[in-house]
Amino acid sequence: MSKGERKVPSIGVVVLNYNDYESTIQCVKSLLSCDPAPLRIIVVDNDSPNESLQKLQTHLGKVEYVDVVSSGRNGGYSFGNNVGIRALRELGFRHVLIATPDTEVRTKALFSLLESAIDSKAGVVAPQIESDGAVDNPSVERLTARYLFDLWWVRAGMPLNSLRTRLRYLLGRYLPGTRKALSARAHVSEDGGPPRHVYKLHGAFLCLTELFLDRVGELDEALFMFGEEDLLSWLCFKNGLSQVLVPEARVHHAHDSSVNLTWGHSAKSFVDEQQSKSARVLREKIPMWPLFTTWRKGTGGLPTRAHADD
């Protein structure tokens, strides 16, 4: 290895920006602070109507290992990420990490940890997500009746959403023990632990492996936004791929929203419209019966252990 050359992982990175260039710049800086750092970060501006593209080019355009590109049009989350995925694959990267701009890396060895967790069946690998100083990873541990109901509800267009939210709040507050029962989220702990399989990973920061990209392909652009994690989970399940949570690797998620930034008082109407569109796509793409029968068998839709190579 020549002088000044870095030993880098085989994971390239896509950071998708829409209007929120300040968060995107901080996200990229945190990625570059990793050791080893990624060889290439593709920052895709998803046709932001503000000055995002210009600001990103000014602040990141001359940074080594970073490319700033425009998607050309706002085709949604999957479309914008696919622009970056294709660019990285053409450059020869095996795996692609996609990060929302409101994330910041907290673990310097993140890429080494993610790479070491990629086994022969891994389709998606992701770190543990922290929010506001707490461990808060909304990954789904395994197929449960709770998750299947939630998925059916999302596919149905989230009927009676306000009533459902209020009921869950009241049950969780006034009936001891129900809060945990109402949750389908993965168990997380402050001390991390070894990589393990889960059914669904949090979509704010995840790595699509070479196996996923070769067997499944790029992200499904039928989804403009919302529901991507459920569809990814189904595609992994359908194709016999595992999803691996790496608790030792930590990423902070600020829960910022470019939707609120862009739409302001009209955000709720925009979100409701997009959720309705996503529901129609998920009804078409994700059948419930195979998941239901798998849940009845008690396997949870998971391989038996996190590094099963057989």
Side-chain angles (χ1 to χ4, degrees):
M1 186 164 57
S2 62
K3 184 177 180 180
E5 184 179 351
R6 296 192 299 176
K7 182 180 179 181
V8 296
S10 58
I11 302 173
V13 182
V14 180
V15 181
L16 183 64
N17 176 80
Y18 187 71
N19 276 357
D20 191 8
Y21 61 87
E22 293 180 344
S23 294
T24 297
I25 292 169
Q26 291 304 312
C27 176
V28 170
K29 288 181 178 179
S30 76
L31 288 161
L32 291 173
S33 71
C34 291
D35 184 18
L39 179 60
R40 191 64 59 91
I41 300 173
I42 307 290
V43 177
V44 179
D45 180 66
N46 214 9
D47 199 29
S48 300
N50 68 358
E51 68 275 21
S52 278
L53 182 58
Q54 179 184 354
K55 292 288 187 179
L56 292 171
Q57 289 173 335
T58 299
H59 289 275
L60 300 175
K62 295 182 179 180
V63 176
E64 193 174 15
Y65 309 113
V66 178
D67 294 334
V68 178
V69 301
S70 172
S71 65
R73 65 180 178 88
N74 182 10
Y77 172 88
S78 296
F79 170 82
N81 276 301
N82 281 342
V83 171
I85 290 171
R86 285 192 291 271
L88 289 169
R89 295 286 278 171
E90 289 172 1
L91 290 170
F93 283 90
R94 296 172 56 207
H95 317 296
V96 177
L97 188 151
I98 54 178
T100 57
D102 55 356
T103 55
E104 290 189 27
V105 177
R106 292 290 190 259
T107 305
K108 294 290 185 181
L110 176 114
F111 287 95
S112 296
L113 291 168
L114 294 182
E115 278 196 293
S116 67
I118 298 175
D119 59 53
S120 63
K121 292 184 179 180
V124 186
V125 178
Q128 186 157 284
I129 303 298
E130 299 176 332
S131 178
D132 299 326
V135 177
D136 180 31
N137 195 323
S139 300
V140 174
E141 189 78 38
R142 55 189 291 113
L143 281 176
T144 62
R146 172 75 267 162
Y147 173 71
L148 291 175
F149 175 80
D150 283 347
L151 178 60
W152 171 85
W153 178 70
V154 170
R155 290 168 74 256
M158 303 170 68
L160 302 176
N161 190 16
S162 297
L163 178 61
R164 180 177 180 270
T165 300
R166 183 64 178 169
L167 181 61
R168 284 169 63 92
Y169 170 78
L170 292 173
L171 288 173
R173 180 173 182 179
Y174 294 109
L175 294 181
T178 59
R179 185 179 297 277
K180 184 177 181 180
L182 289 170
S183 176
R185 294 184 175 188
H187 169 73
V188 292
S189 61
E190 291 292 348
D191 58 356
R196 69 179 186 276
H197 288 129
V198 299
Y199 179 75
K200 185 176 83 166
L201 291 164
H202 186 13
F205 196 101
L206 50 79
C207 178
L208 305 177
T209 69
E210 180 179 34
L211 183 59
F212 179 94
L213 294 168
D214 289 344
R215 187 175 296 184
V216 179
E218 299 173 354
L219 301 179
D220 194 323
E221 295 178 12
L223 284 177
F224 186 86
M225 61 188 303
F226 303 122
E228 298 90 358
E229 297 149 308
D230 291 302
L231 185 53
L232 279 176
S233 300
W234 161 252
L235 290 171
C236 284
F237 174 85
K238 176 183 176 183
N239 288 277
L241 305 177
S242 62
Q243 296 198 84
V244 184
L245 176 65
V246 187
E248 191 177 350
R250 304 295 180 101
V251 167
H252 181 266
H253 185 217
H255 295 285
D256 289 339
S257 175
S258 61
V259 172
N260 291 329
L261 185 66
T262 304
W263 293 91
H265 295 299
S266 302
K268 186 180 184 304
S269 297
F270 173 78
V271 168
D272 289 345
E273 178 186 358
Q274 295 305 321
Q275 286 177 335
S276 295
K277 291 180 179 178
S278 293
R280 292 194 291 271
V281 174
L282 295 180
R283 284 197 296 272
E284 175 188 348
K285 303 279 185 178
I286 306 178
M288 293 296 298
W289 185 248
L291 296 176
F292 177 77
T293 55
T294 299
W295 167 70
R296 287 291 304 271
K297 292 177 182 177
T299 62
L302 307 178
T304 56
R305 56 193 179 91
H307 286 281
D309 292 329
D310 48 68

